[in-house]
Amino acid sequence: MQVISVPGSLDQQSVDDFLDRVAAAENARCLLDARHVRWVDPNGMLALLLAGAAVCARQGTLPRLELPESMDVLGYLSRMGFFQEAQGILEFDDKAPRRGSGPSDVLLEITPIRANADVHAVVDRVQGRAGVLLDAKLGYPQTAVVPFSVILSEVCQNVIEHADGPGWVAAQAYNWARRLGRWVVVISVMDLGRGFRGSLTDEHAARYGDRWSDSTALEAAFLHGLTRFPDSGRGQGIQQIRRQVQRWNGSITIRSGSARIGQYPEWDDAPPMVDALAPFPGAQIGIVLPAKEGDSQR
Amino acid sequence: MTDLPLDPVAIDVGHLLHRTVTSLYAHLVTRPTGRAVRMAIETQLEGMGDRSLSLIDLSEVSVLDFSCADEVVAKLVGHYAAAENKEAFFVFRGVHEPHRDQIEVVLERQSLAAVGETTPGRFELLGARSAEEDAAWRTVETRGLLGRDDVEEALASPALRDALERLVQRRLVYRSPITGRVHALSRLVAHLM
């Protein structure tokens, strides 16, 4: 059995390393060793699900997940609905706690995206919670719930319209006290579909010739709004998400295949393009929305 | 004979959403939802003859995403702007702050424009338009009506008068084929609001 160690802090910053290791796994049965995970955010949770689904698709057997020893992490995974979604994707012990039925502090639990009805459900679900949270934690006006919902809607539709495969979305608010000194909302949307290059190749690869790759495909969609559809009204979803994220001084990053592209504010020094990652199917989108400056007390 | 061979109708998009798509959906999001709503609007327009004026009411819609704005607003306006067998005019009601950005973006992307009520009782030209078109449109909107003899006085420069002709062609104002008077669309739907 091949053991893949899960980083102790599984979030946007460590998720590439984790997915690279999963992509490089050989054809032996995998064990995802998450015993030492102390911190996990929506990117990390969805990456665990993707890892399970990708390995299962490749090997035909469920990889085993060794659960975190931290009860806090286990409880949080449960509140986010992780174990419910992991059924049939990962094999794990029964000691995983069930999701409680009480009031939740979660902005958006892990939600599968398979059809347009799921996008409606996501937008419905965040209406009440997001309004309160964006105001209380980020200092955004109450009206921000609409552009926030539009971001979620567009980013989830990306899974249905371009990935041609199932995906998940999740969101939560955190106090990034050490990293930023402010609260942030983290949104993650990941799928195992055909990825940006796969979606755009038929329509646009010829124009790029030898330069066509995961990174040029990401640039085409992310920077130039190219889409596989001939309809000129298409392709604006990601463009408008970028614009709104920039207005809120947030970051957005997309990994697809072997490349990652991002738009970052001054507080994040991540490089705008990373390539030569291990090829991983689908697309993985991460968005961070920070509290307004001066709202550090929130 | 009347100056206005038009019988404006109001189309409530919130109502259409519940009636034609599903009562479970409260928001105008996703492309298939927008497409279903647009087709329901087009079905209503088919029964309205060769010339129509519709007040498309978005007041009861709480979330409108870019995909739906493209399907419901841009595709509707674009389709009838290019139609030769039907002269359709639109005024969009309830284009308040939460929806305005989405509608402006999808119109501009396709070089289209539309008349929208952006705050209660206040109308603006949205989308792709030149400064001259904007100025000429505001003149018509402020006056409500421009008679043939009023045009030179109201629109002093040839550029503004050319812009008025483009507004007529783009169906952003209505010129009566009988009297030649130019009407602000907002006044023609005022009784529906």
Side-chain angles (χ1 to χ4, degrees):
Chain A
M1 183 174 281
Q2 181 170 2
V3 177
I4 298 173
S5 178
V6 180
S9 180
L10 187 55
D11 57 14
Q12 182 65 62
Q13 290 179 304
S14 60
V15 85
D16 276 340
D17 178 48
F18 173 61
L19 292 180
D20 282 355
R21 276 186 254 169
V22 173
E26 293 161 5
N27 278 333
R29 191 170 181 226
C30 285
L31 185 148
L32 306 177
D33 182 2
R35 285 176 300 156
H36 303 299
V37 170
R38 304 173 315 280
W39 166 256
V40 60
D41 79 351
N43 293 296
M45 291 179 208
L46 297 197
L48 280 174
L49 292 175
L50 281 196
V55 169
C56 188
R58 206 165 55 209
Q59 301 180 350
T61 55
L62 301 190
R64 178 162 180 77
L65 174 67
E66 215 43 59
L67 294 175
E69 290 169 349
S70 161
M71 293 309 289
D72 285 346
V73 173
L74 278 177
Y76 182 45
L77 286 170
S78 176
R79 292 202 305 284
M80 289 292 285
F82 174 81
F83 296 112
Q84 192 174 314
E85 287 304 316
Q87 296 285 346
I89 294 173
L90 294 161
E91 179 192 291
F92 50 90
D93 286 345
D94 286 343
K95 71 176 182 183
R98 304 247 176 253
R99 181 153 69 179
S101 57
S104 171
D105 62 347
V106 172
L107 174 54
L108 179 65
E109 293 89 350
I110 297 172
T111 306
I113 303 296
R114 300 186 187 96
N116 284 291
D118 299 321
V119 182
H120 280 272
V122 165
V123 172
D124 273 345
R125 202 172 295 170
V126 299
Q127 288 309 295
R129 301 175 189 180
V132 173
L133 196 143
L134 293 174
D135 172 42
K137 302 294 187 191
L138 303 193
Y140 293 5
Q142 283 283 346
T143 52
V145 70
V146 173
F148 180 78
S149 303
V150 169
I151 285 178
L152 277 175
S153 171
E154 296 292 346
V155 80
C156 289
Q157 284 180 74
N158 192 68
V159 174
I160 297 163
E161 301 232 343
H162 303 283
D164 272 354
W168 293 274
V169 59
Q172 181 61 310
Y174 301 96
N175 186 0
W176 276 12
R178 272 185 296 179
R179 185 168 177 207
L180 189 60
R182 279 184 273 168
W183 277 78
V184 297
V185 161
V186 176
I187 302 170
S188 181
V189 181
M190 297 191 181
D191 68 71
L192 273 180
R194 54 180 163 170
F196 279 72
R197 185 180 183 182
S199 177
L200 298 176
T201 289
D202 286 351
E203 290 295 320
H204 301 290
R207 196 182 324 155
Y208 285 80
D210 291 345
R211 291 199 308 118
W212 187 242
S213 64
D214 286 317
S215 52
T216 48
L218 276 172
E219 281 177 355
F222 193 76
L223 300 179
H224 308 303
L226 294 192
T227 165
R228 73 175 188 270
F229 299 104
D231 178 348
S232 61
R234 298 295 191 107
Q236 56 196 332
I238 289 176
Q239 303 299 303
Q240 300 311 322
I241 293 168
R242 281 179 54 209
R243 202 166 60 114
Q244 185 60 52
V245 168
Q246 190 168 34
R247 280 180 187 156
W248 282 334
N249 198 31
S251 71
I252 173 170
T253 171
I254 304 178
R255 172 177 176 156
S256 186
S258 60
R260 175 180 289 284
I261 195 167
Q263 171 184 285
Y264 302 100
E266 80 294 339
W267 53 261
D268 191 331
D269 58 4
M273 174 66 81
V274 177
D275 49 20
L277 298 168
F280 197 87
Q284 295 81 45
I285 303 178
I287 296 173
V288 178
L289 305 174
K292 284 171 67 177
E293 280 190 277
D295 279 62
S296 56
Q297 77 285 358
R298 288 175 187 271
Chain B
M1 188 179 279
T2 174
D3 186 33
L4 295 171
L6 280 173
D7 185 15
V9 297
I11 297 174
D12 183 338
V13 173
H15 177 70
L16 271 188
L17 176 64
H18 289 109
R19 205 187 66 194
T20 63
V21 184
T22 165
S23 59
L24 297 175
Y25 294 171
H27 306 295
L28 208 47
V29 296
T30 79
R31 212 162 262 284
T33 302
R35 196 176 300 133
V37 167
R38 173 170 50 80
M39 289 168 73
I41 294 171
E42 288 172 346
T43 300
Q44 290 199 21
L45 293 177
E46 281 170 16
M48 290 165 59
D50 295 340
R51 186 177 290 131
S52 64
L53 170 57
S54 308
L55 178 67
I56 309 292
D57 192 347
L58 298 163
S59 305
E60 297 302 314
V61 175
S62 51
V63 179
L64 170 72
D65 70 9
F66 289 95
S67 302
C68 261
D70 182 57
E71 287 290 338
V72 176
V73 179
K75 284 198 168 47
L76 191 67
V77 171
H79 172 71
Y80 287 102
E84 291 179 357
N85 57 346
K86 182 161 176 79
E87 200 179 358
F89 297 82
F90 298 99
V91 175
F92 291 88
R93 184 184 190 191
V95 188
H96 303 155
E97 206 51 48
H99 303 330
R100 181 177 178 145
D101 189 41
Q102 293 89 303
I103 289 175
E104 288 264 26
V105 163
V106 298
L107 288 170
E108 281 172 8
R109 188 173 171 105
Q110 308 217 39
S111 302
L112 297 167
V115 177
E117 183 210 34
T118 53
T119 56
R122 176 182 161 82
F123 293 82
E124 291 182 64
L125 198 52
L126 307 169
R129 72 275 189 190
S130 66
E132 290 80 10
E133 286 172 326
D134 214 33
W137 184 87
R138 284 181 193 283
T139 301
V140 178
E141 175 64 20
T142 304
R143 295 187 175 215
L145 183 68
L146 271 186
R148 274 184 175 162
D149 298 339
D150 302 330
V151 171
E152 288 229 358
E153 171 264 320
L155 303 172
S157 73
L160 287 175
R161 293 194 288 277
D162 288 346
L164 179 65
E165 291 306 312
R166 290 198 297 277
L167 293 175
V168 171
Q169 287 164 12
R170 299 180 75 186
R171 296 171 188 161
L172 298 169
V173 296
Y174 174 71
R175 175 184 278 152
S176 166
I178 300 159
T179 64
R181 296 199 294 183
V182 176
H183 297 257
L185 298 183
S186 64
R187 305 300 173 93
L188 301 180
V189 296
H191 64 289
L192 297 174
M193 301 180 66

